[in-house]
């Protein structure tokens, strides 16, 4: 059996199994849910197989029998199993009984009606650079909330980051050559509509969904409107309506492929209007690269696109690290044109702001100015909760500037 590669979510799974009757582990196909769940389970059943699925539909109670925690993989293929698990947890009155995994939310959202206090919901993301072994770990993520003066050097080059973007954080591709991984991701994207979305209510037209995926890829890390996405998804003389685009986006989110970055919910002075559109991010930037048939070489020849995909790579990792401390990641934009790529807010209200740049002194200086401008946009009580101002780069160095802005290489970060 292959050696298990530890995931950042492992400690949270163990904690939730001690405090809840079961956990629901969600995430995109091929993100490693089954492997991770098996690492924590003592018995399992795979509902992707026809016979176990038939038994789960006919006699769900039988499916639940076995040493605990018991993994029920792809549970959504027999949605009635949810209520059976809930009732079994109530009967047993014990913690850590079940692990449910799934790569799609049932179309009728059966989990909306029950499970509170019994089943903890968790999302497994693609591997961060720390998990895949591509981070030096020189800078602790928690140090964004602490005094940090030491510097660090080394790590990937810009060319290496282009490879990492195309390869992605998929466990099955981590050890593959980059072009082989790209081939796998191309198949993944080509099969999204026919495989991942086929079980949803009113599944999308595969051709139009493919066109939308390409439009989203061209608008990665932006706030492109539904109208713009519809226009760029046009096939021949017809384009989908904005409402159809919204439906398709919701379906991509339902299978955990689209991971919109919401605007930071902060109350601003009445004279400054905050923009609330989300920024478009796939759960892993490799999906967008595959949709565009991008290679590391083609990305390096297009620095603007490379910069947007690098931003999406950084958002992927910041979200993974934020999950370890129960923090949330947002973006900020206001009517006066100030944009901050990421704001990470902890449950206690303290936050760290991050601009994300490939590098270059001029870009870093401008990013630092943007971060300091944020002081004049926020109410005093909100600014007083700022922990740090940061610039995440693809450069080889992490250090603190004289203006107290921290420059952090993405591949130096780790929890």
């Amino acid at each position: 059996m292959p050696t298990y590669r530890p995931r950042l979510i492992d400690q949270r799974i163990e904690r939730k199994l001690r405090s809840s009757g079961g956990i629901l582990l969600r995430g995109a196909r091929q993100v490693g849910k089954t492997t991770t769940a098996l690492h924590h389970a003592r018995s399992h059943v795979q509902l992707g197989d026809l016979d176990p699925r038939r038994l789960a539909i006919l006699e769900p109670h039988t499916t639940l029998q076995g040493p605990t925690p018991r993994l029920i993989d792809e549970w959504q293929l027999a949605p009635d199993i949810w209520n059976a698990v809930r009732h079994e947890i109530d009967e047993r009155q014990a913690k850590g009984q079940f692990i449910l995994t799934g790569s799609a939310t049932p179309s009728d959202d059966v989990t909306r009606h029950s499970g509170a206090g019994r089943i903890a919901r968790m999302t497994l993301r693609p591997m961060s650079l720390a998990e895949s072994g591509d981070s030096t770990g020189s800078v602790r993520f928690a140090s964004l909330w602490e005094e940090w003066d030491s510097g660090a050097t080394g790590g990937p080059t810009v060319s290496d980051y282009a490879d990492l973007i195309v390869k992605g954080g998929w466990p099955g591709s981590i050890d593959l050559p980059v072009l082989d991984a790209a081939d796998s991701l191309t198949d993944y994207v080509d099969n999204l509509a026919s495989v991942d979305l086929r079980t949803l209510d009113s599944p999308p037209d595969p051709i139009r969904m493919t066109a939308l995926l390409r439009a989203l890829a061209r608008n990665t890390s932006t706030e492109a409107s539904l109208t713009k996405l519809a226009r760029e998804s046009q096939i021949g003389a017809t384009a989908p309506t904005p409402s159809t685009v919204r439906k398709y986006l919701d379906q991509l989110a339902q299978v955990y492929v689209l991971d919109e970055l919401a605007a930071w919910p902060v109350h601003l002075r009445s004279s400054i209007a905050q923009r609330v559109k989300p920024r478009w991010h796939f759960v892993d930037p490799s999906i967008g690269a595959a949709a565009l048939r991008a290679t590391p070489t083609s990305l390096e020849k297009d620095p603007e696109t490379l910069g947007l995909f690098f931003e999406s790579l950084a958002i992927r990792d910041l979200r993974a690290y934020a999950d370890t401390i129960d923090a949330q990641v947002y973006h900020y934009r206001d009517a006066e044109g100030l944009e901050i790529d990421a704001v990470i807010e902890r449950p206690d209200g303290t936050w760290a702001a991050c601009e994300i740049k490939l590098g270059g002194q001029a870009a870093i200086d401008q990013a630092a100015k943007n971060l300091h401008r944020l002081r004049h946009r926020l109410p005093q009580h909100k600014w007083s909760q700022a922990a740090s101002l940061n610039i995440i780069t693809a450069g080889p160095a992490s250090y603190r500037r004289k203006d107290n802005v921290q420059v952090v290489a993405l591949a130096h970060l780790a929890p």
Side-chain angles (χ1 to χ4, degrees):
M1 179 178 292
T3 302
Y4 178 70
R5 193 189 293 263
R7 304 298 298 269
L8 295 180
I9 204 172
D10 284 333
Q11 290 186 356
R12 294 178 63 221
I13 289 176
E14 292 293 341
R15 187 172 76 243
K16 291 297 184 181
L17 286 172
R18 292 193 299 268
S19 62
S20 302
I23 64 171
L24 170 60
L25 187 61
R26 308 168 293 188
R29 179 168 53 91
Q30 296 185 15
V31 80
K33 299 181 301 298
T34 300
T35 301
T36 298
L38 283 171
H39 180 70
H40 297 274
R42 294 184 59 220
S43 67
H44 72 281
V45 59
Q46 169 56 266
L47 298 191
D49 296 334
L50 184 57
D51 288 342
R53 183 163 71 249
R54 285 173 173 167
L55 182 61
I57 293 171
L58 293 173
E59 297 183 24
H61 179 77
T62 304
T63 301
L64 308 186
Q65 304 310 305
T68 60
R70 181 161 175 79
L71 165 61
I72 304 174
D73 199 21
E74 296 295 350
W75 74 273
Q76 80 280 355
L77 298 177
D80 287 345
I81 206 75
W82 177 268
N83 279 332
V85 166
R86 181 174 64 87
H87 288 304
E88 192 71 14
I89 289 173
D90 287 345
E91 286 291 325
R92 296 182 186 181
Q93 289 293 301
K95 307 298 184 184
Q97 296 300 295
F98 299 102
I99 303 174
L100 308 180
T101 64
S103 52
T105 303
S107 55
D108 60 354
D109 196 9
V110 297
T111 67
R112 180 178 62 241
H113 305 295
S114 60
R118 305 175 182 90
I119 302 173
R121 294 161 173 79
M122 309 178 73
T123 300
L124 181 63
R125 304 180 185 278
M127 284 184 163
S128 63
L129 297 183
E131 291 169 286
S132 65
D134 294 295
S135 171
T136 67
S138 307
V139 179
R140 293 172 54 249
F141 181 70
S143 69
L144 301 187
W145 279 263
E146 302 166 358
E147 289 294 326
W148 179 74
D149 294 311
S150 60
T153 58
T157 64
V158 171
S159 294
D160 293 330
Y161 278 113
D163 287 350
L164 292 166
I165 288 167
V166 171
K167 179 181 285 192
W170 309 94
S173 299
I174 292 298
D175 297 321
L176 292 179
V178 63
L179 294 183
D180 290 352
D183 284 343
S184 175
L185 263 296
T186 297
D187 293 339
Y188 187 105
V189 170
D190 288 345
N191 290 328
L192 269 172
S194 58
V195 175
D196 299 73
L197 301 167
R198 73 186 188 280
T199 61
L200 303 182
D201 282 348
S202 58
D205 175 86
I207 295 176
R208 291 204 175 278
M209 177 57 80
T210 298
L212 176 59
L213 287 168
R214 291 174 181 162
L216 282 168
R218 288 191 293 270
N219 290 279
T220 291
S221 303
T222 76
E223 301 165 51
S225 67
L226 297 181
T227 300
K228 185 175 190 291
L229 292 175
R231 184 172 62 250
E232 294 192 15
S233 302
Q234 181 169 327
I235 300 173
T238 61
T241 64
S243 62
T244 297
V245 168
R246 182 67 263 178
K247 172 188 171 184
Y248 281 15
L249 294 174
D250 290 342
Q251 289 177 328
L252 288 172
Q254 204 170 339
V255 295
Y256 307 102
V257 165
L258 186 66
D259 203 2
E260 300 176 20
L261 186 67
W264 191 25
V266 57
H267 178 71
L268 298 179
R269 298 175 182 178
S270 58
S271 61
I272 302 174
Q274 184 181 3
R275 303 305 190 192
V276 295
K277 287 183 180 179
R279 282 193 178 179
W280 304 115
H281 290 279
F282 291 110
V283 70
D284 192 286
S286 61
I287 295 176
L292 296 179
R293 302 301 195 263
T295 65
T297 300
S298 66
L299 286 177
E300 286 190 77
K301 290 180 178 178
D302 185 350
E304 182 177 356
T305 298
L306 177 58
L308 293 172
F309 275 87
F310 175 74
E311 180 179 333
S312 197
L313 179 72
I315 293 296
R316 182 201 72 184
D317 279 17
L318 291 176
R319 280 172 153 161
Y321 303 149
D323 283 347
T324 66
I325 59 172
D326 296 323
Q328 297 291 321
V329 182
Y330 305 97
H331 80 92
Y332 173 92
R333 182 174 178 232
D334 63 36
E336 294 189 1
L338 178 60
E339 299 182 28
I340 303 297
D341 296 323
V343 179
I344 310 153
E345 188 169 55
R346 297 180 66 162
D348 64 3
T350 58
W351 53 271
C354 301
E355 280 278 72
I356 302 169
K357 305 296 177 186
L358 277 176
Q361 194 57 52
I364 289 174
D365 289 343
Q366 183 59 53
K369 290 180 181 178
N370 287 346
L371 290 165
H372 282 296
R373 286 170 61 196
L374 191 60
R375 175 193 297 269
H376 305 293
R377 299 294 200 272
L378 301 178
Q380 180 55 39
H381 77 276
K382 197 65 181 178
W383 178 256
S384 68
Q385 293 178 297
S388 64
L389 304 177
N390 309 275
I391 305 170
I392 308 297
T393 78
S398 296
Y399 57 93
R400 182 185 292 275
R401 290 165 48 103
K402 292 181 179 179
D403 59 4
N404 283 327
V405 172
Q406 298 175 159
V407 177
V408 182
L410 177 61
H412 289 174
L413 277 173

